[in-house]
Amino acid sequence: MAQRQLQANRVAGAPASSGRQVFPRVTAPSRGALRISAVAEAERTAPTTRGSTPAVPAPTADIANKLRYLFGRNGDYTSTDAYQGTAWSVREKLIDSFNKTHEFWKKEDPKFIYYLSAEFLMGRSLTNTVFNLGLDGEYGAALTELGYRMEEVADAERDAALGNGGLGRLAACFLDSMATLDLPGWGYGIRYKYGMFKQGLKNGYQVEMPDIWLTKGNPWEVRRDDVRFEVGFGGRVERRKVNGKEVSVWSPSERVIAQAYDNPIPGFNTPTTSNLRLWDALPLSEFDLSAFNAGDYDRAMLERERAEAISAVLYPNDSTPEGKELRLKQQYFFVCASLQDVLSRFKAVHGSSWDLLPEKACFQLNDTHPTIAVAELMRLLVDVEGLDWEAAWTITTKCLNYTNHTVMPEALEKWPVKVMAKMLPRHMEIIEVINEGWTKWLSGHLKDVKGEEKAKRIAAMSIIHENPWNKEEMLVNMAYLAVVGSSAVNGVAAIHSNIVKDEILNDFYQIFPSKFQNKTNGVTPRRWLAWCNPELSALITEALGSDEWINDTEKLAGLRAFASDAAFQKRWAAVKAAKKAKLAALIKKVHGDDVNQNALFDIQIKRIHEYKRQYLNVLSIIWRYKQLKSMSPEERKKAVPRVCVIGGKAASAYDMAKRIIRLVTAVGDVINKDPETRDLLRLYFLPDYNVSLAETIIPAAELSQHISTAGTEASGTSNMKFQMNGCLIIGTWDGANIEIAEETGVDNVFVFGVRAEEINRLRKERKNFKTDPRWDELMRDIENGMFGDKDYFKPLVDSVNNMKVGNDWFLLANDFAAYLDAQEEVDRTYKDQAEWLRRSIMYTAGSGKFSSDRTIREYAEDIWHVKPCRPAA
Ligand code: 26W
């Protein structure tokens, strides 16, 4: 029985579909008529459940039923209605699997992993859920019957954009792999009412709009009215004697309710459906009637607004902490609710045998954002459960693990002691006691280090330290608290984990070398290949003779045998061409332009940041444009045409990033209109880059850019998604690019640029660096207004070219020439399509390592020590 068939039976009573089927592309005749009769037809033929034992209704009737009763209207449905109808039908199957899994886990009481993250960038759920549940056959057929195409219905779903970028999406990929590997594990986070802002372009400038994603309800969540916890803020702490023992009693001045919403997470090709529990903040009391009656309407609503503000909106920064109190409130809110939830479930089964807790629960801190968990777990164990400090500390450090995702100094959170003490007075006390214990232990450990040196070493590792920019202010270093409070610390790619060990946390590495590990990131091959590129997947499955690669991507290595097979290359290219046509249609829809689909599709999509060097990409495009302009028509015929696409959001307060977006749109406006070159070169900024846009762009890409300054991109994960979809990479020796090159064959990757170990020296020498004359020319062009807005672009030019004001911190000038050389190598290679396609196939063949299943297996074995626990089919 084909594995996916097995899959389908996971949902009780689901009609067996004959093995795997790709959706037939049906051209629906005039919609209205068909739909009504189809609906009626479906209902007429639906097995009557009334009275008799309810058979699971075939999806067609069930969707029709949802359409009628959810919307109370009969007929004239939009594709959004069809989406809702389908989603609410699939939801029931999902909840069945969720309940079965959790009944089993309740019985088995296995050790659980809890992934604490301020961000979960889930994207859309319909397609992923239908495919992971193995229901794509019947739901595809049902929708066809109803005159819809799955793709079109899927497009009606809003992205759940509860994250900024890499860190948030990684958390989502991890949930898919944890469920697929049957690991008892939940995600815990915040149910933001407004997710990542929607990005628009106004005259080429980024504008932000609120992401109102919940207006039409959310079929993928279940509100748990029985799961609510109180969370306190502010107030004061008293010491009281309780049966002779001094205890700390915290009386918060503000209390809110954390309301749980469960989001079932379906694993692929397994009966397991795990969970993502998100917390919504509610006021303790619904409405202050007495204030209202006293005519003080604002105060009547005040408490509600203050509470709801906590889970209202995602902070849109992905590298610089806003440092706003509300941000810390958000972090403590979900951590406090999550720990109370886990401890109460543990207590319900194991009472107060807290020493057992590390055997039954462990937590992964997704960067420093949930690090307050170190102090909160201590508070719950000492103040609430009455354990003594040492016992509580042993349990806490055993239970917690910390992942670092960035080495950017400005991204490492340090909370002012005064802010922490005001908002979380008891936690600040606990952090002080932790730090005392830690620095005392250190001074013991560093017994042979004497005097000044010793004091300096200890001060350098103190969790509470002066603010280097303002000596009056003391800061709580959340990364240091996470390291001291955890049993494992890991980076997210080999080079990054070394930088963490050798640079940003070297002192700690010297003390606890065994705590430090590497866990190279991964992405789920379900969403990022099998579901977003079913055409390429079908070809891969045919070549490999089964679709087991979806669960076991190492099997993709089998494609190496086909890399130079002309017939296979031809079909591989045909799939890419079809995907390019889709992206061309999208560019047409957004920018109104028809692009040359035989051009090389060159893509850079990620958050806009100076270290990611979208600016360098634009400079190379301007240079390419000038080259084309200076060519004779003859020479132009030999040029490789390119369609360049850049996409990504700039944090709303990140001015330089916004100037980079404007430069992209300004350059695009000029070159896309130039009659001499527009058939050979285009540049488009695609707005509102998010998960579902990535699912359209990545399968269509031929070249993707990962050109961060070496040593700055911790890992990158889009590089892995492009690799899986046979897209070649031009990139620096940075993050996971290095491991991708090792797996794919370094000669197949267009690597350029200075190495991480040279950066510090080159930065010191940057003032005397002789810039490339082509660089100088481009700087002058931008300064002289070749793309308009010259005053607006001046800071951009100064930041990399005027050493009086800027310092080209990310060494664009140093990598410029090598980058242009690499781009020429790209053109030369693209001209040899047999060689290009050979490499493209080698990329997918070498992507096995970069499945998040491999990453999660390593976390489970090396850090979490949790075992698969699979319910019966
Ligand atoms: C406090 C503001 C803030 C918010 C988010 C600071 C830092 C972050 C994240 C750590 C930034 C982030 O998303 N880092 C990315 O994490 C990915 C997953 O590990 C990596 O692949 C990327 O290289 C890294 O930039």
Side-chain angles (χ1 to χ4, degrees):
M1 166 122 43
Q3 77 181 49
R4 295 197 32 69
Q5 188 48 45
L6 231 173
Q7 172 69 348
N9 299 346
R10 159 178 181 183
V11 178
S17 65
S18 51
R20 177 152 188 64
Q21 81 168 40
V22 172
F23 296 115
R25 296 258 167 281
V26 291
T27 48
S30 65
R31 305 169 58 63
L34 168 65
R35 209 159 345 108
I36 303 295
S37 61
V39 171
E41 174 56 22
E43 283 182 336
R44 194 177 53 66
T45 57
T48 53
T49 52
R50 270 179 291 291
S52 63
T53 53
V56 175
T60 317
D62 190 43
I63 295 174
N65 176 300
K66 297 286 183 293
L67 285 174
R68 174 184 295 282
Y69 294 111
L70 261 181
F71 303 96
R73 302 195 314 283
N74 81 13
D76 210 0
Y77 301 108
T78 64
S79 54
T80 303
D81 299 335
Y83 158 69
Q84 291 281 8
T86 309
W88 286 89
S89 168
V90 172
R91 169 193 167 93
E92 298 180 2
K93 317 258 179 338
L94 186 60
I95 291 175
D96 285 343
S97 179
F98 175 93
N99 291 338
K100 246 164 84 181
T101 300
H102 286 82
E103 272 143 34
F104 181 70
W105 283 348
K106 198 168 181 56
K107 199 158 47 54
E108 298 293 308
D109 184 30
K111 179 176 182 179
F112 262 72
I113 167 61
Y114 297 106
Y115 201 82
L116 299 183
S117 179
E119 303 185 19
F120 287 95
L121 197 40
M122 303 300 283
R124 291 170 173 161
S125 289
L126 179 66
T127 304
N128 185 67
T129 305
V130 164
F131 274 81
N132 274 23
L133 289 177
L135 300 171
D136 47 299
E138 53 255 55
Y139 272 90
L143 282 169
T144 311
E145 257 180 67
L146 293 166
Y148 293 96
R149 282 175 307 106
M150 173 63 100
E151 224 176 310
E152 162 213 354
V153 166
D155 275 354
E157 180 177 357
R158 289 293 296 263
D159 275 35
L162 308 183
N164 277 278
L167 170 140
R169 181 58 230 177
L170 186 83
C173 284
F174 278 10
L175 291 180
D176 181 82
S177 286
M178 287 154 70
T180 299
L181 296 170
D182 306 311
L183 295 176
W186 283 15
Y188 271 116
I190 300 172
R191 180 181 181 268
Y192 300 105
K193 191 159 181 217
Y194 308 110
M196 185 66 204
F197 64 73
K198 291 187 74 54
Q199 177 193 51
L201 285 179
K202 199 157 173 299
N203 311 326
Y205 295 86
Q206 169 179 297
V207 288
E208 301 95 22
M209 287 88 72
D211 170 41
I212 308 161
W213 73 291
L214 285 169
T215 40
K216 287 202 168 64
N218 176 6
W220 309 113
E221 67 180 5
V222 181
R223 196 175 73 188
R224 293 280 182 232
D225 289 331
D226 55 336
V227 183
R228 290 174 157 215
F229 292 94
E230 243 186 56
V231 178
F233 301 98
R236 65 197 189 297
V237 183
E238 296 153 309
R239 243 53 65 191
R240 288 207 203 121
K241 279 242 174 297
V242 178
N243 39 20
K245 193 171 161 217
E246 186 183 78
V247 296
S248 302
V249 180
W250 173 32
S251 346
S253 57
E254 182 192 350
R255 296 162 194 268
V256 301
I257 294 292
Q259 161 71 59
Y261 284 78
D262 284 345
N263 299 261
I265 304 293
F268 168 67
N269 200 28
T270 170
T272 299
T273 287
S274 70
N275 189 26
L276 167 58
R277 179 161 281 183
L278 299 177
W279 300 100
D280 182 37
L282 298 174
L284 218 57
S285 67
E286 184 71 17
F287 175 62
D288 186 337
L289 192 58
S290 55
F292 183 82
N293 293 344
D296 182 346
Y297 306 126
D298 297 357
R299 199 157 57 70
M301 303 304 286
L302 190 60
E303 196 198 333
R304 163 178 289 283
E305 267 134 34
R306 269 171 71 84
E308 290 178 353
I310 295 170
S311 59
V313 64
L314 167 80
Y315 273 91
N317 324 303
D318 82 328
S319 59
T320 40
E322 193 111 359
K324 290 276 186 318
E325 290 193 16
L326 183 59
R327 169 78 173 176
L328 178 58
K329 227 173 171 181
Q330 288 186 335
Q331 295 178 350
Y332 178 64
F333 168 72
F334 90 92
V335 163
C336 173
S338 305
L339 290 180
Q340 288 189 73
D341 192 23
V342 172
L343 268 56
S344 74
R345 265 203 312 281
F346 175 86
K347 210 171 171 184
V349 179
H350 304 282
S352 52
S353 38
W354 294 111
D355 296 345
L356 191 59
L357 185 67
E359 310 321 309
K360 291 296 181 182
C362 68
F363 302 85
Q364 194 66 33
L365 306 177
N366 199 18
D367 213 90
T368 56
H369 314 154
T371 297
I372 195 68
V374 176
E376 175 63 5
L377 189 48
M378 285 301 285
R379 182 185 76 86
L380 292 170
L381 293 173
V382 173
D383 296 0
V384 179
E385 301 301 335
L387 274 66
D388 67 47
W389 185 271
E390 281 322 311
W393 185 244
T394 308
I395 293 167
T396 295
T397 50
K398 268 187 183 166
C399 279
L400 301 181
N401 308 290
Y402 159 56
T403 300
N404 173 284
H405 294 267
T406 181
V407 295
M408 291 293 172
E410 72 269 19
L412 302 173
E413 294 182 300
K414 304 176 182 78
W415 286 104
V417 167
K418 74 178 184 313
V419 170
M420 184 75 81
K422 181 162 158 288
M423 184 184 298
L424 300 167
R426 179 56 183 146
H427 297 78
M428 193 57 237
E429 288 179 354
I430 289 171
I431 293 169
E432 270 146 9
V433 177
I434 291 171
N435 197 40
E436 267 151 49
W438 161 237
T439 49
K440 205 184 276 90
W441 179 89
L442 260 182
S443 104
H445 185 81
L446 301 169
K447 56 188 169 310
D448 21 343
V449 184
K450 295 284 171 272
E452 192 36 42
E453 172 53 21
K454 184 170 188 170
K456 222 158 68 17
R457 293 274 306 273
I458 292 175
M461 285 191 269
S462 174
I463 296 165
I464 301 169
H465 56 71
E466 270 173 7
N467 176 344
W469 313 112
N470 144 10
K471 297 266 178 273
E472 325 301 304
E473 190 178 51
M474 294 303 282
L475 301 174
V476 179
N477 186 310
M478 300 309 271
Y480 292 5
L481 177 60
V483 173
V484 171
S486 293
S487 44
V489 174
N490 73 283
V492 290
I495 184 175
H496 169 61
S497 297
N498 292 336
I499 293 172
V500 167
K501 281 189 282 191
D502 307 340
E503 291 175 36
I504 58 166
L505 295 172
N506 181 257
D507 294 334
F508 295 89
Y509 174 63
Q510 306 271 350
I511 306 281
F512 325 102
S514 62
K515 251 191 195 183
F516 288 76
Q517 303 188 27
N518 173 50
K519 292 286 170 279
T520 296
N521 282 163
V523 299
T524 170
R526 272 71 68 183
R527 182 181 292 267
W528 295 111
L529 179 50
W531 311 155
C532 72
N533 200 342
E535 298 82 356
L536 194 66
S537 304
L539 188 53
I540 292 168
T541 296
E542 189 187 319
L544 299 178
S546 101
D547 62 3
E548 278 159 14
W549 59 269
I550 303 178
N551 259 110
D552 177 4
T553 51
E554 287 306 331
K555 289 199 166 46
L556 291 168
L559 291 172
R560 291 197 173 105
F562 298 85
S564 305
D565 171 304
F568 187 76
Q569 284 197 350
K570 199 159 170 307
R571 300 183 59 197
W572 190 266
V575 168
K576 185 63 79 175
K579 289 298 188 183
K580 287 173 73 177
K582 278 235 179 88
L583 179 53
L586 183 75
I587 292 171
K588 173 82 174 172
K589 198 168 106 200
V590 174
H591 288 281
D593 284 4
D594 291 309
V595 296
N596 169 358
Q597 296 184 26
N598 299 320
L600 189 164
F601 277 29
D602 167 348
I603 312 287
Q604 187 180 23
I605 44 177
K606 51 191 74 218
R607 288 296 297 259
I608 308 297
H609 202 290
E610 288 162 282
Y611 86 80
K612 295 174 186 277
R613 303 201 295 188
Q614 285 90 354
Y615 187 9
L616 187 61
N617 182 357
V618 179
L619 291 175
S620 78
I621 293 169
I622 299 171
W623 183 252
R624 178 179 293 272
Y625 171 59
K626 299 191 76 172
Q627 294 295 93
L628 289 170
K629 289 291 278 182
S630 62
M631 282 180 192
S632 67
E634 278 333 291
E635 286 166 319
R636 280 195 196 131
K637 284 205 178 50
K638 293 198 282 313
V640 172
R642 280 212 193 183
V643 170
C644 303
V645 170
I646 295 179
K649 293 171 180 175
S652 24
Y654 190 176
D655 178 63
M656 204 60 97
K658 288 185 163 182
R659 291 175 194 268
I660 290 169
I661 291 177
R662 180 64 189 111
L663 181 64
V664 175
T665 56
V667 171
D669 290 349
V670 170
I671 67 177
N672 297 346
K673 292 191 187 57
D674 187 320
E676 284 183 326
T677 62
R678 64 190 308 280
D679 294 347
L680 291 169
L681 182 61
R682 301 284 180 85
L683 169 57
Y684 294 102
F685 186 91
L686 279 184
D688 206 30
Y689 173 59
N690 60 14
V691 171
S692 39
L693 186 53
E695 289 171 21
T696 299
I697 294 175
I698 290 172
E702 294 173 292
L703 180 75
S704 64
Q705 307 221 19
H706 311 277
I707 59 175
S708 52
T709 312
T712 60
E713 188 69 86
S715 162
T717 43
S718 68
N719 44 11
M720 299 165 182
K721 297 160 188 170
F722 283 109
Q723 181 196 14
M724 278 182 180
N725 285 271
C727 171
L728 281 60
I729 285 177
I730 183 168
T732 48
W733 203 246
D734 194 20
N737 294 356
I738 299 169
E739 291 158 76
I740 290 173
E742 286 159 357
E743 296 293 312
T744 306
V746 65
D747 305 346
N748 293 328
V749 182
F750 303 103
V751 176
F752 73 95
V754 299
R755 296 297 189 257
E757 52 277 10
E758 302 170 84
I759 300 291
N760 293 341
R761 174 178 60 76
L762 291 170
R763 277 187 175 145
K764 291 196 190 70
E765 297 163 2
R766 176 62 183 83
K767 282 196 173 18
N768 326 320
F769 176 75
K770 177 88 191 67
T771 50
D772 184 290
R774 295 167 294 178
W775 166 276
D776 303 336
E777 186 181 324
L778 295 177
M779 292 296 130
R780 280 195 302 279
D781 289 340
I782 298 172
E783 259 179 339
N784 303 341
M786 181 175 177
F787 303 100
D789 254 334
K790 62 184 184 173
D791 305 337
Y792 186 72
F793 295 140
K794 180 130 180 39
L796 261 181
V797 174
D798 288 348
S799 71
V800 295
N801 200 47
N802 173 347
M803 291 307 113
K804 294 193 209 50
V805 283
N807 56 14
D808 191 12
W809 186 249
F810 297 110
L811 302 177
L812 281 75
N814 301 68
D815 275 344
F816 179 74
Y819 178 49
L820 291 193
D821 295 349
Q823 287 283 22
E824 279 163 23
E825 175 59 21
V826 168
D827 286 342
R828 275 192 297 279
T829 310
Y830 195 71
K831 281 181 176 163
D832 173 354
Q833 276 295 299
E835 170 56 14
W836 189 273
L837 290 166
R838 182 194 68 75
R839 292 191 192 194
S840 172
I841 296 163
M842 289 302 279
Y843 271 68
T844 304
S847 68
K849 170 182 177 178
F850 304 104
S851 164
S852 44
D853 296 354
R854 183 268 314 151
T855 312
I856 291 298
R857 268 198 206 91
E858 291 178 359
Y859 274 94
E861 275 141 30
D862 306 342
I863 297 180
W864 303 337
H865 312 300
V866 291
K867 299 249 170 311
C869 182
R870 181 183 180 126

